[in-house]
Amino acid sequence: MISLGPLRGRTALARNAVGRAATVAGTGALTAGIFTPDLYSTSMTCTMLCAGWGTLWSATLPRDINGNTAMTLYLTPSASLAVMLTAQHIVSGIDWWWQLLADAVWTAGVLRVRPARLARILVGREKSLTPDAIEQTKEVLAWDTVQDGSQHPQAVFWAKHVAIEGGAAPNTVLEQIEQTGPESMAAVIRSTIPGKPVPKIDLLELSAAINWPEDDIKITPVPRQGAGVRRLTVGVAPADAMDLQMAWQTLIAPKGMPGTVITAIRAVDVPDTDGDSKELPA
């Protein structure tokens, strides 16, 4: 279930808190009624006030199947609480622990189902839970998965279209993005789940997602790094645009020395035929 916090206004959050507080208060009234029957009148008065508010709210609904269903849902917590308070007051010979169990079941059911919120959703009065708002929330969450410093357009595209559930690489982010040529790039794919590897990525799915030929896409281990990161290369970078490690990894190792990587680079002086020294990498 996605979190709706980013799109919920203060009114919606306050209403949510009041609803939960009212449920807890109902539980308190039920529990107190077991041991203090004299509180029955006070508890019923409060319950009827809540039911009255629900009736006024329901009066503004259209009288169709959605409106009638929403009214029933909205009044269910108050009505069921009134029934339980009355039954508990009349039938007082039942062992108290059975009554406590019934109170716990009522509380768990209301907190889990949230009938009043379902009623508002049904008639379109819970704006943060409308289909459009949910889609916007998914976009917000996709942006949130892009880590600080990685809001590169390619990273955002990856988060929205590749790293989503059911995408080519769920639970991943794209980092260290480099444009290695006019039609090539390199980046690091990192798993967003601590201790979990980058999932096995189907190149056909990734090719379809980024609209690029699968033969030009390569995913390889990152030297001296665990399976939680992988190197992504798209396209073939010009040799003069690559550093030595990248050139070795993409051009030399796959064909000439599979499985090898450059672990260190040092420069040495190599004298030329004229007696001068030239500094070359080794």
Side-chain angles (χ1 to χ4, degrees):
M1 181 180 293
I2 61 176
S3 170
L4 295 163
L7 293 179
R8 304 194 71 182
R10 293 181 179 179
T11 300
L13 292 174
R15 186 169 56 230
N16 180 68
V18 169
R20 291 185 180 276
T23 302
V24 173
T27 304
L30 286 169
T31 304
I34 297 174
F35 306 103
T36 313
D38 293 342
L39 292 176
Y40 171 73
S41 298
T42 303
S43 299
M44 281 297 294
T45 300
C46 295
T47 302
M48 289 300 101
L49 287 174
C50 292
W53 167 256
T55 302
L56 289 175
W57 181 84
S58 301
T60 64
L61 301 177
R63 297 276 64 87
D64 55 17
I65 186 170
N66 284 345
N68 294 334
T69 303
M71 178 179 67
T72 302
L73 285 169
Y74 210 88
L75 292 174
T76 293
S78 299
S80 59
L81 178 59
V83 169
M84 291 187 66
L85 284 170
T86 302
Q88 185 175 267
H89 184 69
I90 295 174
V91 185
S92 57
I94 301 177
D95 290 338
W96 62 268
W97 61 273
W98 280 107
Q99 298 180 63
L100 285 178
L101 179 61
D103 298 349
V105 170
W106 179 85
T107 304
V110 174
L111 290 177
R112 176 69 177 173
V113 177
R114 307 294 300 284
R117 188 176 70 168
L118 286 178
R120 291 194 299 271
I121 294 171
L122 188 61
V123 292
R125 294 190 179 182
E126 182 65 61
K127 300 301 182 184
S128 62
L129 292 176
T130 60
D132 290 342
I134 290 176
E135 288 303 317
Q136 293 175 32
T137 300
K138 290 179 179 177
E139 292 184 8
V140 170
L141 294 178
W143 272 91
D144 288 344
T145 62
V146 182
Q147 303 298 309
D148 293 340
S150 300
Q151 293 183 357
H152 188 284
Q154 296 293 347
V156 175
F157 178 88
W158 184 277
K160 289 185 177 182
H161 301 282
V162 181
I164 58 175
E165 193 67 32
N171 302 315
T172 61
V173 291
L174 203 62
E175 300 177 334
Q176 302 178 33
I177 300 167
E178 307 172 52
Q179 190 76 29
T180 56
E183 294 186 351
S184 62
M185 63 163 285
V188 170
I189 305 170
R190 183 175 61 81
S191 171
T192 58
I193 303 178
K196 293 294 183 181
V198 171
K200 185 174 178 59
I201 301 175
D202 189 317
L203 293 184
L204 287 177
E205 288 191 24
L206 183 57
S207 171
I210 66 176
N211 192 28
W212 198 270
E214 64 270 22
D215 292 341
D216 287 345
I217 303 173
K218 292 181 175 60
I219 298 175
T220 57
V222 176
R224 299 187 301 278
Q225 294 289 324
V229 292
R230 285 290 183 262
R231 183 76 174 176
L232 169 69
T233 55
V234 178
V236 178
D240 58 357
M242 297 184 181
D243 59 26
L244 287 176
Q245 288 179 318
M246 179 59 66
W248 184 276
Q249 181 178 337
T250 58
L251 300 178
I252 301 173
K255 297 180 180 179
M257 302 183 69
T260 61
V261 296
I262 294 178
T263 59
I265 298 174
R266 64 185 180 88
V268 298
D269 290 334
V270 179
D272 63 8
T273 54
D274 298 329
D276 297 330
S277 295
K278 294 183 178 180
E279 190 177 79
L280 296 175

